[in-house]
Amino acid sequence: MEQAPPDPERQLQPAPLEPLGSPDAGLGAAVGKEAEGAGEESSGVDTMTHNNFWLKKIEISVSEAEKRTGRNAMNMQETYTAYLIETRSVEHTDGQSVLTDSLWRRYSEFELLRSYLLVYYPHIVVPPLPEKRAEFVWHKLSADNMDPDFVERRRIGLENFLLRIASHPILCRDKIFYLFLTQVFFFYLADSRLKALNATFRVKNPDKRFTDLKHYSDELQSVISHLLRVRARVADRLYGVYKVHGNYGRVFSEWSAIEKEMGDGLQSAGHHMDVYASSIDDILEDEEHYADQLKEYLFYAEALRAVCRKHELMQYDLEMAAQDLASKKQQCEELATGTVRTFSLKGMTTKLFGQETPEQREARIKVLEEQINEGEQQLKSKNLEGREFVKNAWADIERFKEQKNRDLKEALISYAVMQISMCKKGIQVWTNAKECFSKM
């Protein structure tokens, strides 16, 4: 019998993970029993009512960064940066907020947390980490990952990463996330499950929605990459233009020394030019903040592709199970009727050595029937798992789209306002210079 192809509308999600460990005192008192049973929470939790669950209970901050030295797994000396995570209860005692937990984490530990979330929440668009090494920087900015300015921007990015998780309706309730904030621990991840996320599978019936999403994530990454490159080039040229104005200041100051009536006006104009030239450093430092907001969504594109890859993996498993079931049904039918539809080793063996006895054939049919029943149950289970995955994945993707539209709109508007303010300052400098010239 021919097996019907899997319906691409049937959607995917594995059963929710039962959380590991149990909270201890301190922060546990702040979140209480609501944080327990994280794995039992449905993925359909209403975003508006639950997405600030943890943020209403505790304050999370990455307050400090510290350069350290130590030995790695190869027993070699290395220099790294550690970050201090602090969590405070927002429930006040005698009007004061009490520090409940603080610990130091390396960037690699943040990577480990995110890898865990990718494996156990494959239907969720997991927030990305800030860049490990500086990218898309204008040439005057250091690309050294130990540079104090870069470390400070990464500290802000890591804090934003934790706040993104804490505000997510599903991820905020995970016990591993809770332990990451409160206990020094390591957890084991099966390498095979991580590798599966990066594997490529050619499915026969891809879901067009996920195919389109993958294309969108590629285009989003490309557009933001180009935008960041343009911004870096503009920053380079802008830096040069501003600094060249310092030459105006030097020339006006030298000129003022040989003039009596015009001296004061030229000196004042030169001062305005010097101030204008030095202001670019602060301006471009503020611009890096907006560049980091764009970079977050550059890395979110990979998080979207991870969800698509997991869907492809599950769809591939579903199609292989359907194909295997169809093959067994065909074998059973051939044994029952004594006809062979396709070339097979068994058919050649029968022609060479004769037919099986009725008892042997009945035994094989019985084994195949048991395998068919088991295969039908597995296929049914995979279909249910598939439908649930896509249902929950698409709900989280819609949540992500709303977040993305809101965040990028705010960032672009703020960037435009900053550019307008910068231009107004330039106009004001030349207006002041004009007044100085008028008084000569």
Side-chain angles (χ1 to χ4, degrees):
M1 296 175 66
E2 186 175 351
Q3 179 69 24
D7 184 355
E9 293 296 318
R10 293 184 172 179
Q11 325 209 345
L12 318 179
Q13 171 209 359
L17 172 71
E18 184 67 27
L20 306 179
S22 59
D24 58 357
L27 183 58
V31 297
K33 293 183 179 179
E34 292 179 82
E36 298 183 8
E40 299 173 3
E41 288 295 327
S42 168
S43 298
V45 177
D46 184 77
T47 303
M48 297 305 293
T49 57
H50 292 281
N51 65 352
N52 288 322
F53 167 73
W54 271 64
L55 296 183
K56 291 178 180 178
K57 295 289 183 181
I58 61 171
E59 294 176 355
I60 302 172
S61 66
V62 180
S63 57
E64 294 181 34
E66 182 178 282
K67 186 176 179 180
R68 295 183 176 182
T69 57
R71 294 193 176 275
N72 58 21
M74 303 296 293
N75 200 33
M76 298 176 63
Q77 193 79 7
E78 66 173 349
T79 302
Y80 62 92
T81 305
Y83 299 88
L84 180 62
I85 302 174
E86 294 184 343
T87 51
R88 292 177 181 271
S89 168
V90 296
E91 296 179 352
H92 300 287
T93 304
D94 298 329
Q96 295 184 345
S97 181
V98 180
L99 178 66
T100 55
D101 285 286
S102 65
L103 50 79
W104 293 88
R105 294 273 186 215
R106 296 182 58 172
Y107 183 89
S108 57
E109 293 178 275
F110 284 87
E111 289 181 310
L112 194 59
L113 172 64
R114 187 170 187 274
S115 295
Y116 156 77
L117 295 175
L118 283 172
V119 169
Y120 287 101
Y121 297 93
H123 60 285
I124 286 176
V125 183
V126 178
L129 288 166
E131 57 192 346
K132 193 166 188 176
R133 290 175 178 79
E135 299 177 9
F136 304 105
V137 297
W138 56 288
H139 77 279
K140 292 293 182 182
L141 195 68
S142 174
D144 180 10
N145 63 345
M146 290 295 176
D147 177 72
D149 291 335
F150 173 71
V151 170
E152 172 61 16
R153 293 201 312 276
R154 190 162 69 177
R155 179 196 66 78
I156 295 172
L158 291 173
E159 179 176 289
N160 185 61
F161 169 71
L162 295 179
L163 292 176
R164 291 282 195 198
I165 297 175
S167 64
H168 193 282
I170 308 300
L171 301 181
C172 72
R173 297 170 177 269
D174 185 84
K175 288 294 183 64
I176 292 294
F177 174 55
Y178 168 81
L179 294 174
F180 182 86
L181 297 174
T182 59
Q183 295 182 18
V184 179
F185 79 108
F186 294 92
F187 49 85
Y188 171 73
L189 286 175
D191 290 340
S192 60
R193 298 188 68 177
L194 286 173
K195 290 176 182 176
L197 289 175
N198 296 318
T200 300
F201 300 90
R202 188 176 298 278
V203 296
K204 296 179 181 178
N205 298 290
D207 188 322
K208 186 177 184 300
R209 292 170 300 174
F210 283 91
T211 302
D212 292 344
L213 181 64
K214 184 189 290 186
H215 291 160
Y216 169 76
S217 66
D218 291 338
E219 291 172 0
L220 177 65
Q221 189 173 46
S222 176
V223 167
I224 294 180
S225 296
H226 290 157
L227 185 60
L228 287 167
R229 290 190 185 98
V230 170
R231 190 210 71 87
R233 289 198 298 269
V234 170
D236 277 332
R237 295 186 181 185
L238 200 60
Y239 182 85
V241 169
Y242 267 69
K243 289 303 181 183
V244 166
H245 277 72
N247 292 337
Y248 278 130
R250 177 177 55 80
V251 171
F252 286 149
S253 296
E254 292 174 354
W255 190 4
S256 68
I258 63 173
E259 298 286 353
K260 292 183 179 179
E261 292 82 4
M262 298 170 59
D264 290 342
L266 290 170
Q267 185 70 36
S268 297
H271 171 71
H272 288 302
M273 293 301 161
D274 289 337
V275 172
Y276 183 66
S278 63
S279 67
I280 189 61
D281 297 295
D282 291 335
I283 290 172
L284 292 183
E285 185 176 331
D286 291 339
E287 271 201 16
E288 286 303 313
H289 169 69
Y290 298 109
D292 288 341
Q293 288 180 306
L294 290 176
K295 286 178 183 178
E296 181 183 19
Y297 281 92
L298 178 72
F299 305 140
Y300 255 125
E302 179 56 34
L304 287 173
R305 285 196 290 270
V307 175
C308 295
R309 284 196 297 270
K310 181 59 180 178
H311 175 267
E312 288 179 350
L313 172 61
M314 298 186 75
Q315 181 70 18
Y316 179 82
D317 287 343
L318 180 66
E319 291 178 358
M320 290 300 99
Q323 181 178 321
D324 183 62
L325 179 61
S327 175
K328 284 184 169 57
K329 286 183 175 180
Q330 181 178 329
Q331 291 178 42
C332 188
E333 183 180 350
E334 289 172 353
L335 282 172
T337 60
T339 59
V340 179
R341 295 182 182 179
T342 58
F343 172 82
S344 67
L345 179 62
K346 180 62 181 175
M348 288 297 297
T349 304
T350 299
K351 290 181 179 180
L352 290 173
F353 302 104
Q355 293 285 343
E356 295 176 312
T357 64
E359 291 78 11
Q360 290 174 323
R361 188 165 59 252
E362 286 298 324
R364 289 191 61 213
I365 290 175
K366 185 176 180 180
V367 170
L368 281 171
E369 287 176 344
E370 291 175 356
Q371 292 177 345
I372 289 171
N373 288 333
E374 183 180 343
E376 288 175 341
Q377 291 299 317
Q378 289 179 350
L379 188 62
K380 181 179 179 181
S381 175
K382 288 181 182 294
N383 269 316
L384 291 173
E385 186 180 32
R387 287 195 294 269
E388 192 66 17
F389 176 90
V390 179
K391 173 186 172 183
N392 292 326
W394 216 250
D396 196 64
I397 289 166
E398 291 300 323
R399 178 205 60 79
F400 164 75
K401 287 179 179 178
E402 292 180 6
Q403 169 195 304
K404 171 186 65 69
N405 294 342
R406 181 176 61 251
D407 290 350
L408 291 181
K409 176 182 177 181
E410 180 182 337
L412 292 172
I413 290 174
S414 298
Y415 182 75
V417 168
M418 188 182 71
Q419 296 299 316
I420 293 170
S421 175
M422 181 176 63
C423 292
K424 286 181 177 178
K425 288 179 180 177
I427 293 172
Q428 186 62 48
V429 164
W430 282 104
T431 301
N432 293 338
K434 176 187 174 184
E435 293 176 358
C436 293
F437 299 148
S438 300
K439 293 177 182 178
M440 289 191 303

